[in-house]
Amino acid sequence: MGTELLAPLDLAFWHLESDAHPMHLGALAVFSPDAGPSPGPEALLELLGVRAAAIPRLRMRVRDVLLPVGGAAWSVDKDFDVHRHVGRVQLPAAETGGEGAFMAAATRLAGELMEQPLRRGLPPWQMYVIGGAADGPFAVLVKLHHALADGMRAVAIGAGIFDEIASVAGRGRTGAPAGRTRPVPPRSWMPGPRQVAGLALGRIEDLGRAFGVGASLVRASRLDLRGATALSASSSGTRRLATADLDLDDVQRVRRVAGGTSNDVLLAVVAGALRRWMLERGEPLPGADPRALVPVSRRRPGGAATGNRLSAYLLGLPVSEPDPWERLRAVRGAMDRNKSAGPLRGAGAVAVLADQLPSLAHRFGAPLAGSAARMLFDVLVTSVPLPRSALSLAGCPLRALYPMAPLARGQSLAVSLTTYGGRVQVGLVADGKALPDLERLGRCAEKEVAELLAALPVHRPAGVPVVRPSAAP
């Protein structure tokens, strides 16, 4: 793997980072032995290092380049040492007795580790084995810089540590060479007349699209933040993590009655959880519903494997609506409108603007753009797909995986969701001082699903109106 320039959006994420606002994604994977003892922390650490070192992308670091001015490139770290990137965190014996105690200790430690920026000059990733007692559960925390990968690409990279993926990759290295088997005739690097015309037309379309997004961005920006809640409190740079587990069958039951998608249901659950959380902590509901930035992948099958390919939708989370099914109806309607417009239109498609800016603008303008994020949205809500097959590490089954998203400057909460083993796992990342009771928000998400189920309309033939119990006051 040679040298490649960072794509514009990757460069933006690279320069958005500061010591107090690291821009790395994360995941906390929890394992437990099925029968018999686990391999032990030292064996796990060695296995993790061997498998991570075998992933080519994890050997790449970022370096500055002369051209384009302000640009940067990925290049192979010739002094790569996997031991700089994998480590072990041992838990006190008192915190390893029982699943609940282990999870509480593991998430607390993961929060402290997520506060720490990745060291520049090295490939931007880190992995930690947490716990690993001979007869108990253990966790692996993975940190990947957002410049290295978006959520979907991060899953593809990180999956290389699992037994099932690593074994397939191992067979690929010893079997027939991958790729084309027929020689490819050389092509001139000079574009032909039709290519020139196509490139020019594409450039004009891109600039027109970016202009439309910019205009939408200006219209959507909020200069008056007096209605702000803890979601938009001043950033302290601290990090706190919490998790929640939802039953996928329950989510699907709601979806089958309400229509739409499972993601619509989960976004409504987030809205209801925020409402419940605000009321439980005695906080008045905001005058205007908080906005969520909902990332959308632009990655196409067979497209470029590297870099960020993202857009996003803006969604008002209806926390002022007391009825859970009305909240779901509002979310579904708003998401249907977003999808009709498409992921390349509207103020949420800020990534489209990043693609049109020169490298120098990202180098000097990214910090300013990061500070302006709170004028556009209040919370990030993202869904991360996982492989459907069962996964394991050193023969120990994966029990849960909680994804974690970075916080932009001025943001206090990011919500990430993924589905695995019949469960929806929710990873909550928050500013530790702004949201010290983050665990309560996780419990509120679980209560919100129960409330939707309690008010579930009776199944009916098409065309028959819905009759539901009245919502709780």
Side-chain angles (χ1 to χ4, degrees), residues 54-364:
I55 301 171
R57 198 69 192 168
L58 296 184
R59 291 175 169 266
M60 305 291 281
R61 68 180 184 89
V62 176
R63 64 176 180 85
D64 292 335
V65 295
L66 294 176
L67 292 175
V69 178
W74 293 106
S75 63
V76 176
D77 183 2
K78 296 179 181 179
D79 299 318
F80 177 78
D81 181 357
V82 74
H83 297 99
R84 295 174 177 172
H85 300 271
V86 297
R88 176 193 171 199
V89 182
Q90 189 170 359
L91 296 176
E95 296 181 335
T96 58
E99 184 177 343
F102 172 78
M103 278 302 303
T107 52
R108 175 182 56 78
L109 275 172
E112 296 173 2
L113 294 169
M114 288 293 285
E115 283 184 18
Q116 303 170 11
L118 294 163
R119 181 178 168 187
R120 299 216 165 193
L122 298 176
W125 64 274
Q126 204 81 33
M127 295 185 190
Y128 299 91
V129 175
I130 299 176
D135 57 349
F138 64 93
V140 174
L141 175 67
V142 179
K143 294 166 55 175
L144 298 174
H145 200 285
H146 211 334
L148 182 66
D150 55 25
M152 289 186 67
R153 183 60 185 157
V155 170
I157 293 173
I161 69 170
F162 293 115
D163 297 340
E164 295 74 15
I165 312 299
S167 62
V168 171
R171 287 195 296 271
R173 286 195 297 272
T174 57
R180 296 178 182 267
T181 56
R182 296 181 181 179
V184 180
R187 294 186 299 174
S188 171
W189 63 271
M190 291 287 290
R194 291 184 179 179
Q195 289 174 295
V196 171
L199 290 171
L201 182 60
R203 181 63 174 166
I204 291 171
E205 291 176 347
D206 287 344
L207 289 174
R209 185 183 297 119
F211 181 80
V213 172
S216 298
L217 190 65
V218 171
R219 291 194 297 269
S221 297
R222 303 163 300 177
L223 297 177
D224 185 1
L225 299 175
R226 287 176 297 178
T229 66
L231 295 180
S232 53
S234 299
S235 298
S236 67
T238 59
R239 291 293 178 269
R240 190 174 184 87
L241 306 183
T243 63
D245 287 88
L246 313 176
D247 191 303
L248 181 59
D249 286 343
D250 291 344
V251 173
Q252 296 286 19
R253 283 178 62 196
V254 174
R255 181 198 60 80
R256 284 192 290 269
V257 173
T261 67
S262 297
N263 201 49
D264 294 341
V265 177
L266 292 173
L267 288 168
V269 168
V270 171
L274 287 172
R275 172 188 170 85
R276 185 184 296 270
W277 171 73
M278 291 176 183
L279 294 176
E280 283 187 2
R281 72 200 313 250
E283 183 175 314
L285 297 177
D289 287 335
R291 283 181 184 165
L293 187 74
V294 183
V296 180
S297 176
R298 296 165 55 198
R299 196 174 296 281
R300 296 178 179 177
T306 59
N308 282 268
R309 298 290 297 165
L310 290 173
S311 185
Y313 296 135
L314 278 184
L315 172 70
L317 296 173
V319 301
S320 57
E321 171 56 57
D323 186 296
W325 279 80
E326 286 301 313
R327 286 196 293 270
L328 176 53
R329 184 195 62 79
V331 165
R332 182 186 172 191
M335 288 301 290
D336 285 347
R337 291 190 293 273
N338 276 329
K339 293 170 188 174
S340 295
L344 300 182
R345 297 176 181 271
V350 290
V352 174
L353 296 180
D355 287 337
Q356 307 306 316
L357 296 176
S359 301
L360 201 59
H362 287 300
R363 182 176 290 270
F364 294 107

Side-chain angles (χ1 to χ4, degrees), residues 337-417:
R337 291 190 293 273
N338 276 329
K339 293 170 188 174
S340 295
L344 300 182
R345 297 176 181 271
V350 290
V352 174
L353 296 180
D355 287 337
Q356 307 306 316
L357 296 176
S359 301
L360 201 59
H362 287 300
R363 182 176 290 270
F364 294 107
L368 180 62
S371 299
R374 64 178 300 182
M375 298 173 61
L376 186 63
F377 66 96
D378 302 291
V379 56
L380 176 73
V381 184
T382 182
S383 294
V384 181
L386 276 185
R388 295 185 179 181
S389 58
L391 299 171
S392 61
L393 178 62
C396 300
L398 175 68
R399 299 303 185 192
L401 189 144
Y402 302 98
M404 300 167 193
L407 292 180
R409 187 180 287 105
Q411 302 294 315
S412 297
L413 176 65
V415 181
S416 303
L417 309 107

